[in-house]
Amino acid sequence: MEKITKRILSGVQPSGDLHLGNYLGAIKNFVSLQKEFECFFCVVDLHAITVWQDPKILKQKTREVAAAFIASGIDPDKNTLFVQSQVPQHAQLAWIFNCVARMGWLNRMTQFKDKAGKNSENVSVGLFSYPTLMAADILIYLATHVPVGEDQKQHLELTRDIAQKFNNDFNTDIFPIPEPLILGEATRVMSLRDGLKKMSKSDPSDYSRIMLSDSEEEIIKKIKKAKTDPMPLPDNLEDAKNRPEAINLLTIYAALNDQEIGTVISEYGGKEFSQFKNDLGELASSKLSPISVEMNKLLQDEKYLDSVIIKGKERAINIADPVLNKIYQIIGLFRG
Ligand code: AQP
């Protein structure tokens, strides 16, 4: 098979409203990477159903993620933008990877432990085997690079282990060993209510996250209400690192303004949070509102959005199907 050197796969779950963490940790980076890489961007609905999703809204959430990709600046003509469940090869390869990955490997996954909590006997088998499906998402396209937030690093290491083991077991070099691309200042955006907790779609408090669908007023209000400590802003990085809420807001500012965090600290160090929060609110709303407006426009035009998704499905299958066939041959599965 032709050796690929610069191909990206990354996905976002339609499991709730997209937030600033998804944007700064993932989508914003996709936009710059599309210039340099051949890109596959996927709405990972099969991952979303590892926890309960309301069937009445899942389809709409799926369109919303596709709209967020385009509204953020991903060009649907240049890149392959598609929905995971439309390309059955992902699930087919995931089964094979369930037979390659070891229980011990999956037992070490911290995201499963965090999400299952004390309830691990009652969560779905899919939640446990989520990382083997993620490995299949990536490797079915022989992707070489995967842009993700910090929280997905361990899953990507597992993907590399699976690729390596498959290649060794079957004496092949079919799978590349994909590299994580954890880019930008904000690789792990934290909750606005608790600087030690990741900003996430499933946090029960709306005030913990800024959503891409928030209005300018809502963004400004959420930043004003963000938890901070009583001291002025830190004037050096070492001190900032010991103040979770402060470093989170400084990091968000730096990432939104394409600056290094040191530059933001030199500008705001020693000042009061109130002024900084005003400026951050203005900055965040000026960067995010155009995305929200464009997303809403796209969501009004379902016909266009669905046509993008269908074109993406065809392009994705054109790459995924020959790879799956080759894998079946390597394993010795009956092909007729
Ligand atoms: N807080 C975050 N900071 C930086 N990056 C983040 N990502 C998610 N949260 C943050 C990155 O966004 C991409 C898509 O994530 P996902 O939709 O697959 O789901 P997730 O990581 O499980 O995100 P959530 O929002 O936290 O969902 P729930 O609440 O359901 O767990 C990934 O690249 C991820 O790294």
Side-chain angles (χ1 to χ4, degrees):
M1 255 176 165
E2 173 207 354
K3 277 277 163 258
I4 314 293
T5 55
K6 284 195 144 206
R7 184 179 282 168
I8 272 178
L9 176 291
S10 201
V12 176
Q13 296 185 68
S15 50
D17 289 315
L18 293 187
H19 53 73
L20 189 62
N22 300 133
Y23 178 66
L24 294 177
I27 302 174
K28 183 171 185 281
N29 298 323
F30 300 169
V31 176
S32 29
L33 291 164
Q34 67 183 333
K35 297 187 196 102
E36 206 192 321
F37 288 83
E38 179 191 7
C39 299
F40 292 77
F41 297 123
C42 183
V43 187
V44 286
D45 53 351
L46 295 177
H47 283 287
I49 61 165
T50 56
V51 297
W52 171 252
Q53 300 298 330
D54 182 346
K56 290 194 219 63
I57 59 172
L58 182 57
K59 205 189 280 179
Q60 182 58 15
K61 293 283 163 211
T62 300
R63 287 199 181 100
E64 276 175 28
V65 177
F69 284 157
I70 302 171
S72 303
I74 291 170
D75 178 348
D77 293 324
K78 185 171 181 295
N79 307 286
T80 303
L81 200 166
F82 66 104
V83 173
Q84 184 187 31
S85 63
Q86 294 232 292
V87 182
Q89 288 81 359
H90 290 234
Q92 289 171 283
L93 183 58
W95 178 257
I96 292 169
F97 286 167
N98 278 339
C99 304
V100 173
R102 308 287 94 181
M103 287 294 287
W105 299 359
L106 288 167
N107 272 329
R108 285 197 288 275
M109 295 297 110
T110 53
Q111 181 171 296
F112 176 75
K113 289 183 198 157
D114 291 346
K115 288 199 169 176
K118 293 196 182 84
N119 200 24
S120 64
E121 289 296 307
N122 278 323
V123 295
S124 73
V125 175
L127 191 67
F128 182 71
S129 64
Y130 180 115
T132 59
L133 177 58
M134 178 167 158
D137 299 335
I138 297 164
L139 294 171
I140 195 70
Y141 301 101
L142 309 178
T144 55
H145 295 80
V146 187
V148 280
E150 187 80 40
D151 59 325
Q152 291 297 332
K153 199 169 163 207
Q154 194 187 32
H155 287 164
L156 204 64
E157 278 157 13
L158 189 104
T159 299
R160 291 163 61 89
D161 290 342
I162 290 175
Q164 196 94 60
K165 183 165 169 22
F166 186 97
N167 286 351
N168 287 342
D169 287 354
F170 295 99
N171 194 22
T172 169
D173 62 355
I174 184 160
F175 290 128
I177 310 301
E179 293 289 338
L181 294 174
I182 298 177
L183 302 172
E185 286 290 332
T187 55
R188 189 172 174 82
V189 178
M190 309 308 276
S191 156
L192 299 181
R193 307 303 300 159
D194 177 352
L196 297 174
K197 246 172 80 184
K198 192 183 86 146
M199 184 178 284
S200 103
K201 299 185 198 93
S202 51
D203 192 310
S205 164
D206 262 5
Y207 280 93
S208 70
R209 62 185 162 258
I210 291 172
M211 293 177 303
L212 293 190
S213 55
D214 280 341
S215 67
E216 290 194 24
E217 295 71 31
E218 281 165 330
I219 294 173
I220 290 169
K221 191 164 156 202
K222 284 181 178 180
I223 289 180
K224 275 211 172 110
K225 281 183 166 280
K227 185 180 166 200
T228 48
D229 56 45
M231 289 180 292
L233 280 146
D235 58 12
N236 66 77
L237 191 55
E238 278 318 299
D239 286 353
K241 281 183 184 159
N242 294 320
R243 294 171 57 190
E245 281 81 22
I247 190 133
N248 189 36
L249 295 182
L250 288 162
T251 306
I252 292 173
Y253 190 104
L256 282 170
N257 217 21
D258 293 313
Q259 283 178 307
E260 286 183 10
I261 185 153
T263 315
V264 184
I265 292 178
S266 23
E267 194 178 335
Y268 286 100
K271 296 192 176 150
E272 294 304 320
F273 271 104
S274 52
Q275 178 56 45
F276 175 66
K277 281 180 165 181
N278 282 342
D279 294 354
L280 178 58
E282 292 294 330
L283 174 66
S285 63
S286 74
K287 297 281 178 181
L288 300 180
S289 297
I291 299 177
S292 163
V293 169
E294 186 58 25
M295 254 177 91
N296 284 330
K297 224 159 71 189
L298 286 160
L299 287 165
Q300 306 288 316
D301 192 352
E302 257 177 31
K303 219 166 140 197
Y304 167 71
L305 216 44
D306 291 4
S307 74
V308 167
I309 292 171
I310 288 164
K311 194 171 74 187
K313 164 191 164 180
E314 285 156 10
R315 280 159 60 160
I317 288 180
N318 272 339
I319 304 289
D321 199 48
V323 174
L324 189 70
N325 258 315
K326 180 79 191 156
I327 293 163
Y328 277 16
Q329 270 172 31
I330 291 172
I331 298 178
L333 295 176
F334 185 73
R335 308 307 294 143

